[in-house]
Amino acid sequence: GENVEQHPSTLSVQEGDSAVIKCTYSDSASNYFPWYKQELGKGPQLIIDIRSNVGEKKDQRIAVTLNKTAKHFSLHITETQPEDSAVYFCAASSVGDKIIFGKGTRLHILP
Amino acid sequence: GAGVSQTPSNKVTEKGKYVELRCDPISGHTALYWYRQSLGQGPEFLIYFQGTGAADDSGLPNDRFFAVRPEGSVSTLKIQRTERGDSAVYLCASSSGRASDTQYFGPGTRLTVL
């Protein structure tokens, strides 16, 4: 079955700097890669997703890249703000199927 | 519009007791998923419904866990003879069921087994 590895487990960046979270997946059949943000006491919220026919996608300060050959995908957050502090999960799936999550990255934005 | 809702938000029970956790999906969503999240971990898949039927229950850890969705909307996750290791946040998600759709998560039910 699918396995998703996520690094780093914790990341601290100065406010205004960029943050990068990297993930790998194992199942070449996976074709949908969502990223979720989870704040304390809340359920995961989708922040961006990418499908396997696209190499890069951007939404304001957030961008994701996907390298299908290497089975790598990454989340980039630019101009970080205090409200970006949360736990971020990468995930892999076949569309409409169960999602396999990474273990999460706790992002701290330092003032 | 209203998102996915889950009740109760917190449930404390004693080892050996039976519990039911409820999920109300987004109106019109035909697909419903249950996940379990232990402290410091990502959510882990339990079961997936398409309409009233369980399309994939491969994530249920053992036969103490069971879920139903009798009318294709609300779902109930049932846990018999609870164990301390069942303590976790149980998350529900729904999607429209179309091939390209996103899963939207509820706030979860925090289950504590004493």
Side-chain angles (χ1 to χ4, degrees):
Chain A
E2 177 64 275
N3 182 51
V4 177
E5 299 284 341
Q6 182 171 351
H7 302 279
S9 57
T10 305
L11 178 61
S12 296
V13 301
Q14 289 295 137
E15 182 178 348
D17 288 350
S18 295
V20 180
I21 301 170
K22 298 185 178 184
C23 292
T24 61
Y25 63 100
S26 61
D27 188 351
S28 56
S30 291
N31 57 10
Y32 174 59
F33 306 90
W35 286 85
Y36 285 85
K37 175 183 180 182
Q38 188 173 31
E39 296 175 324
L40 195 63
K42 298 184 178 180
Q45 277 195 300
L46 181 78
I47 55 171
I48 195 167
D49 56 16
I50 189 167
R51 304 185 194 279
S52 60
N53 58 346
V54 174
E56 185 172 355
K57 183 176 177 180
K58 189 173 181 180
D59 182 3
Q60 299 183 343
R61 296 187 297 109
I62 295 173
V64 292
T65 59
L66 171 65
N67 181 330
K68 281 204 70 180
T69 304
K71 297 194 186 77
H72 289 175
F73 57 119
S74 300
L75 175 73
H76 303 249
I77 306 174
T78 59
E79 300 172 13
T80 52
Q81 300 171 2
E83 55 265 35
D84 294 331
S85 293
V87 179
Y88 291 80
F89 293 98
C90 63
S93 171
S94 297
V95 172
D97 199 359
K98 61 192 176 193
I99 293 175
I100 305 300
F101 285 84
K103 291 191 174 182
T105 296
R106 184 171 296 279
L107 176 62
H108 299 276
I109 306 302
L110 305 172
Chain B
V4 177
S5 62
Q6 293 185 244
T7 54
S9 56
N10 281 283
K11 176 70 178 179
V12 180
T13 191
E14 293 179 341
K15 180 176 178 295
K17 298 290 188 184
Y18 167 83
V19 296
E20 290 189 350
L21 312 179
R22 176 186 168 111
C23 173
D24 280 86
I26 292 171
S27 178
H29 278 191
T30 60
L32 185 146
Y33 305 79
W34 284 98
Y35 294 83
R36 179 167 72 173
Q37 186 174 27
S38 300
L39 195 63
Q41 301 293 314
E44 294 180 320
F45 170 77
L46 294 176
I47 186 169
Y48 155 48
F49 287 90
Q50 183 61 252
T52 60
D56 182 352
D57 64 357
S58 62
L60 294 178
N62 51 59
D63 61 6
R64 296 186 298 106
F65 288 75
F66 189 71
V68 296
R69 196 185 184 200
E71 298 179 356
S73 179
V74 170
S75 177
T76 304
L77 178 66
K78 307 181 181 194
I79 311 174
Q80 298 178 321
R81 305 183 302 280
T82 51
E83 299 178 357
R84 292 195 179 87
D86 299 335
S87 296
V89 175
Y90 290 81
L91 294 162
C92 176
S94 72
S95 77
S96 72
R98 292 189 301 268
S100 61
D101 214 27
T102 299
Q103 294 184 27
Y104 297 92
F105 281 80
T109 293
R110 179 175 298 278
L111 175 66
T112 303
V113 182
L114 301 176

